[in-house]
Amino acid sequence: MKNNSIPSFVTIIFFFLLGWLLLIWTPYLQFGSQKLHEDQESGDLVPRPLSGLAIRGSKIYEENGCATCHTQQARNSNEDKVQGYSKRASVARDFFYQPATFAGMNRFGPDLTNVGSRKKSAEWHHQHLFAPQTLSPGSIMPSYQFLYEKRKIVGQHSGEALKLPSSVLIEEGYEVIPSEQAKALVAYLLSLDQSYSLPESPLIEE
Amino acid sequence: MILSKTDPSYEFLPREGNIKTENEFLTLSFGSLSLLWLLLSGLFLLVESIKLHAPEVFNQLSWLSYGKIHHAAQLSFLGALTQGLLWMGFSFIASAGQLLKRSNSLFFISLSLLNISFIVGIIELLSGNRGHGTLIFPPYSLILFSLGFFFLVPLLWNTLFKIQKLSPSLMFVALSFWTAPFSLATIISLSCGGYLQGAYGAWALAWFSHHFISLFLLPLGIATVLNLAQKYSPKLNQNEASLRFAFWIYTISNLMSSRDLIGTPLPFIPAWLRSIETVGSLFLSFSVLIILHTLFLQLKPLLSDLKKEISFPFFVFATTSLALLGVLKSLLAFQEVNQWVQFSTMTNALQTLLYFGFLMMIFFAWIYHQLPYLLERVWASSSLIQTHFWLSALSTGITILALFVASGLQTYRNATSEIPFLSTVIVIRPLLWIQSLSRVFQFSGALMISFLFLLLLLNWKPNPKNSLFYNPR
C-alpha cells in the first residue's frame, strides 16, 4: 500500500510557502517601501506624525476595545459618502504612523477615520466619553466613567472640569476631571484626520 | 459501491485496550476542559449583553468595559473550541490505531500551557494588555498558546507520518496540525519583531486570522463531519475520490488566498491579488459543497434509520450551517457585494453561523454519538439531549435571523441621507436583544451538556429503557 501522508505533507507545505511568499513577504516589501507625501498646499509631509500623547491614547483605544464597535477605514462607498466619513477612501499610506491599525469589522458606531476633523472639540469628546447618552440619546456606546476622577471642589472650579448637563447627577461640591488616560485618548481621537490629499487617493470635492 | 467492510488501512484496530485508555484520557483532559471553557464563555457573553443593553452598568469598573468583556468572551469561547476540536482530532488519530499516549507527559505539558494561555489571556484583556490592535490573543497568551501547541508537534507529525494511508477525515486533521505551527510561528515572529504596525499590521493579522479559522479550526470541524458520516454508515464506503478532490481544492485555495482581505479598502494591494482572493474564495465554497453533496448521497439510504440517532439533528444542523456559510461566503467573495454589507451585523451573523451553527454543533454531535462507544457507558437522559438540541438550534437560528435583519436595516438606512445614524442604532437595538436572549438559551444548553457529561464520567447507571440509541455497529 502506498503511504500518502509524506507526499501530502510535502504538497501542503509547498503551497503554504507559496501563499506565504505571496501574502506575507511581497506585501511586506510593498508596505515597507512607502514614503511620506509632500502636500502641495501646505508643503507639509503627510500623513502627519502622532504626538506622544496621541500614541499613548491609541493604547487606551486598543485596551478598551473601541475597535469592536468602530472601524477606521473609509471607503468609496455610498454609505461612507452619505455618512460623511471621509472625502476619500483610506489607503495603506494613511496608516504610516499608526502604532496599530484599528481597521475594525463592525460599525455599531460611526467610522472614526476622520473623527478629528469632524468633531474638533476636546470638551465634546470628554462629555461623550463620560456620558454618551447626554449627547446622543439612545446610543449604545458605553460610558467610560472610569477614565475620569470625581474630585471635591476646593476653592475655584478647576479649568479642566467637565461642563456636564444637569441630567448627569454629580454630588454637590464635586467636579469631574479627566484623567491622564482620558486626555491621551481624546488627543488620539483628535489626531484622526485624513483630510489631506494623496496621489493614490485624492480628495473628492463636491 | 457498497462494501461490507470499511477500508482496513485506516480503520484497523490493533490494540482495543489502548484505544480505550487513550480516549478516556483525552475525554477527561481535553473534553472536560473544553466544556468548562464553554461555560465560562457563556457567562462572559451574558455580561457582554448586559453591558450592551445597559451601558451605564458597572461603568466605574475599568476591567468590565464592553470592549474588554467582548474580547474575554471571544477568547474563552476559543478556549472551548480549540480544546474541543483538538480532542476530536486526537481521537481520530487514536482510533486509527496510532498510539498517542506514549507521550503522556507531552500531552500534560501541552494541555497545561494551552489552558494557562487562555487564563493569562483573559487576565491580560481585562487588565488592558491588549496588544496587536485587533488580534484575538493578547501578547503573552499568544506565546503560551503556541508553546502549548509546539510541544505536541513532534508527536503529532510523527504519528501522522506513520499512518499508512490517511483517510479523507484524517487528511483534514493533518492539514490543521501541519500548517498551524507555521502560521503561529509567522505571527509570533512578526509580533516580536515589531512588524505589526500601520497598514501592514492589519494585513498580516487578517492573514493570520484566516489561517486560524480556515486552516486550523474549520478543517477539524470538517474532519468531524466526515468521521461522523462514516460512523453513521460503517457498512458503506465513502466516495473517497470526490472527498480527496474536494480536500485539495479546499487546501490549495485556502493556502493561496486569505478571504479576510477581500474587503480591505487598501488599493495599495495590486488588483490581481484581489482577483486571486475572489477566485480562492469561490473555490473554497465549492469544495465545501462537494463534500456535503458526497456525504448526502452516502447517508441518503439510511435517513429513516438515522432519525433514531440522538446526535443526528445536531449533525444536520451543523452541515446545513456549513452549506449556508459556503454559499454566503461565495457571494461575499465579490468585492461589490462585500462592500455593501461589510461592516454591518452580517459580520456577526457569519461568525455566529460558523462558531455556534457549525463548529459547536458538530462538536456536540460528536460528543453525543461517540462518547458512549468510547467509554462504554450510556447517556443518562435522551430527553435532556433533545432539549439541548432545541435550545441550541432555536437560539442560534433566531440570532442569525435577527442579525441578518439588522444587517439589512443598517445597510439600507446608513446609505440613505435623510436617516440619521443614531436612529438606526436605536432601530436595531431590539434585534440585539434577541441575540442576548439567545445567549441565555445557549448557556442553559451548555449547562445541560456539562451535566450529562459529568453523569457519564461518574458512570451513573440510567434506567435502560431510557437509553434507546440507534446503534449502527
Side-chain angles (χ1 to χ4, degrees):
Chain A
M1 196 183 344
K2 226 170 73 216
N3 180 326
N4 72 347
S5 53
I6 304 227
S8 306
F9 175 76
V10 174
T11 319
I12 289 173
I13 297 308
F14 171 77
F15 280 106
F16 181 93
L17 281 178
L18 214 59
W20 193 89
L21 288 176
L22 188 73
L23 296 163
I24 289 291
W25 182 246
T26 324
Y28 172 73
L29 298 179
Q30 281 192 319
F31 284 102
S33 61
Q34 291 177 102
K35 293 193 174 56
L36 295 174
H37 172 69
E38 194 179 317
D39 194 38
Q40 299 296 324
E41 281 169 33
S42 59
D44 284 358
L45 289 178
V46 285
R48 298 181 183 88
L50 270 69
S51 70
L53 194 61
I55 291 177
R56 264 191 285 148
S58 78
K59 284 275 158 227
I60 313 292
Y61 189 91
E62 176 177 272
E63 273 178 25
N64 287 293
C66 308
T68 336
C69 295
H70 292 286
T71 54
Q72 284 189 32
Q73 40 179 320
R75 308 166 300 174
N76 272 331
S77 77
N78 207 12
E79 175 193 334
D80 294 46
K81 270 177 224 134
V82 165
Q83 297 295 331
Y85 288 146
S86 177
K87 289 208 174 84
R88 62 182 181 83
S90 310
V91 289
R93 188 144 54 155
D94 288 316
F95 303 98
F96 193 89
Y97 283 115
Q98 297 283 338
T101 310
F102 307 107
M105 301 208 297
N106 238 312
R107 283 182 181 170
F108 274 128
D111 181 84
L112 297 182
T113 321
N114 240 339
V115 72
S117 71
R118 191 164 66 228
K119 292 251 155 53
K120 292 199 166 87
S121 143
E123 239 173 68
W124 186 92
H125 284 292
H126 281 304
Q127 182 180 337
H128 186 249
L129 286 168
F130 187 81
Q133 287 74 24
T134 56
L135 290 165
S136 313
S139 172
I140 54 169
M141 166 131 168
S143 75
Y144 290 89
Q145 300 206 353
F146 57 84
L147 295 175
Y148 294 83
E149 284 164 38
K150 264 184 211 147
R151 256 206 324 233
K152 210 172 180 122
I153 304 174
V154 221
Q156 278 199 320
H157 270 279
S158 157
E160 288 182 332
L162 304 197
K163 295 176 193 68
L164 295 164
S166 54
S167 58
V168 184
L169 294 176
I170 304 290
E171 287 160 67
E172 193 66 40
Y174 279 80
E175 60 187 358
V176 177
I177 311 282
S179 65
E180 287 309 310
Q181 290 190 332
K183 285 184 210 161
L185 178 58
V186 169
Y188 174 67
L189 292 173
L190 292 175
S191 80
L192 294 174
D193 182 347
Q194 293 181 359
S195 53
Y196 48 86
S197 204
L198 285 178
E200 67 270 35
S201 176
L203 290 175
I204 303 164
E205 301 298 342
E206 267 95 278
Chain B
M1 226 179 56
I2 296 177
L3 300 176
S4 59
K5 250 193 130 10
T6 40
D7 186 342
S9 54
Y10 51 84
E11 282 290 343
F12 73 110
L13 307 171
R15 291 173 225 175
E16 291 279 353
N18 274 332
I19 292 173
K20 185 157 178 293
T21 35
E22 275 180 22
N23 272 305
E24 271 169 5
F25 166 79
L26 289 172
T27 309
L28 278 175
S29 53
F30 284 89
S32 24
L33 283 164
S34 65
L35 288 176
L36 258 174
W37 281 103
L38 183 64
L39 290 175
L40 190 67
S41 75
L43 284 178
F44 275 124
L45 283 173
L46 290 177
V47 179
E48 184 197 323
S49 279
I50 296 175
K51 292 289 295 182
L52 191 63
H53 296 298
E56 311 79 28
V57 175
F58 308 133
N59 63 9
Q60 305 286 351
L61 303 174
S62 71
W63 54 275
L64 261 185
S65 86
Y66 175 84
K68 288 180 181 172
I69 288 291
H70 172 84
H71 288 111
Q74 290 217 325
L75 190 65
S76 47
F77 185 74
L78 220 54
L81 208 55
T82 38
Q83 298 193 69
L85 290 169
L86 284 176
W87 176 25
M88 295 185 275
F90 295 152
S91 170
F92 302 155
I93 299 182
S95 308
Q98 300 297 327
L99 301 180
L100 284 166
K101 215 175 157 215
R102 260 175 321 186
S103 309
N104 242 339
S105 48
L106 273 185
F107 265 94
F108 185 74
I109 296 173
S110 165
L111 188 75
S112 316
L113 281 171
L114 289 180
N115 284 283
I116 293 172
S117 83
F118 290 113
I119 295 170
V120 167
I122 287 175
I123 295 173
E124 285 185 281
L125 287 175
L126 295 185
S127 66
N129 186 17
R130 182 79 186 78
H132 313 307
T134 46
L135 184 61
I136 189 156
F137 289 100
Y140 292 115
S141 166
L142 179 68
I143 292 176
L144 287 166
F145 178 87
S146 311
L147 268 181
F149 196 77
F150 289 156
F151 263 98
L152 288 179
V153 165
L155 178 70
L156 286 176
W157 284 23
N158 201 11
T159 319
L160 283 166
F161 288 150
K162 278 200 187 123
I163 297 178
Q164 272 299 309
K165 187 157 176 270
L166 295 173
S167 66
S169 162
L170 279 175
M171 296 279 273
F172 276 100
V173 175
L175 174 63
S176 258
F177 291 167
W178 283 338
T179 55
F182 293 107
S183 42
L184 283 170
T186 302
I187 204 70
I188 287 189
S189 35
L190 287 179
S191 137
C192 293
Y195 295 109
L196 294 180
Q197 297 193 346
Y200 184 69
W203 172 272
L205 287 174
W207 175 87
F208 176 72
S209 95
H210 164 77
H211 267 251
F212 197 78
I213 291 172
S214 300
L215 284 154
F216 177 61
L217 299 179
L218 210 52
L220 289 172
I222 296 178
T224 312
V225 171
L226 294 174
N227 187 282
L228 265 179
Q230 188 63 45
K231 295 265 156 56
Y232 288 150
S233 57
K235 303 232 158 49
L236 304 181
N237 247 17
Q238 291 187 320
N239 181 352
E240 282 203 13
S242 95
L243 292 178
R244 282 180 200 280
F245 174 66
F247 170 81
W248 285 110
I249 295 185
Y250 182 92
T251 302
I252 295 172
S253 62
N254 258 320
L255 287 171
M256 299 296 291
S257 69
S258 159
R259 63 163 126 216
D260 290 347
L261 300 177
I262 292 170
T264 44
L266 307 172
F268 199 69
I269 296 154
W272 55 268
L273 205 53
R274 275 255 158 80
S275 318
I276 290 190
E277 300 306 326
T278 303
V279 174
S281 264
L282 286 176
F283 268 119
L284 215 156
S285 310
F286 178 54
S287 67
V288 165
L289 295 180
I290 298 181
I291 292 174
L292 293 179
H293 179 69
T294 311
L295 295 186
F296 177 71
L297 292 183
Q298 181 187 335
L299 295 180
K300 210 167 92 183
L302 297 173
L303 282 183
S304 54
D305 283 341
L306 281 170
K307 286 206 187 100
K308 289 180 231 134
E309 161 61 34
I310 199 89
S311 68
F312 195 58
F314 290 93
F315 180 85
V316 172
F317 195 98
T319 43
T320 314
S321 302
L322 185 60
L324 193 59
L325 204 63
V327 172
L328 286 172
K329 287 274 180 178
S330 57
L331 286 178
L332 290 178
F334 295 96
Q335 178 87 29
E336 295 72 23
V337 186
N338 197 309
Q339 192 165 70
W340 214 44
V341 292
Q342 192 177 15
F343 301 128
S344 68
T345 49
M346 178 65 92
T347 321
N348 308 52
L350 291 177
Q351 224 179 24
T352 311
L353 197 58
L354 170 68
Y355 286 146
F356 288 96
F358 175 54
L359 291 174
M360 264 298 149
M361 279 299 206
I362 201 69
F363 173 60
F364 293 149
W366 187 80
I367 293 186
Y368 285 135
H369 178 81
Q370 203 51 17
L371 279 198
Y373 293 108
L374 292 179
L375 306 181
E376 292 170 5
R377 297 169 196 183
V378 243
W379 290 114
S381 150
S382 56
S383 53
L384 209 55
I385 299 181
Q386 274 160 356
T387 319
H388 178 206
F389 171 73
W390 286 112
L391 278 178
S392 314
L394 284 178
S395 56
T396 308
I398 292 173
T399 305
I400 292 169
L401 214 63
L403 292 173
F404 277 151
V405 175
S407 162
L409 285 170
Q410 280 180 324
T411 307
Y412 167 72
R413 294 172 63 101
N414 284 341
T416 311
S417 46
E418 302 83 53
I419 304 177
F421 185 87
L422 192 56
S423 80
T424 308
V425 173
I426 295 169
V427 164
I428 65 166
R429 270 180 91 154
L431 294 160
L432 299 178
W433 267 107
I434 295 180
Q435 182 182 26
S436 307
L437 194 68
S438 299
R439 285 178 179 171
V440 179
F441 290 155
Q442 283 286 1
F443 185 63
S444 335
L447 281 174
M448 280 176 197
I449 190 170
S450 308
F451 178 64
L452 284 165
F453 182 79
L454 199 66
L455 289 183
L456 195 78
L457 289 189
L458 298 176
N459 205 4
W460 186 74
K461 287 271 185 299
N463 175 356
K465 265 190 233 125
N466 266 348
S467 51
L468 287 173
F469 290 98
Y470 164 68
N471 186 349
R473 270 161 280 180

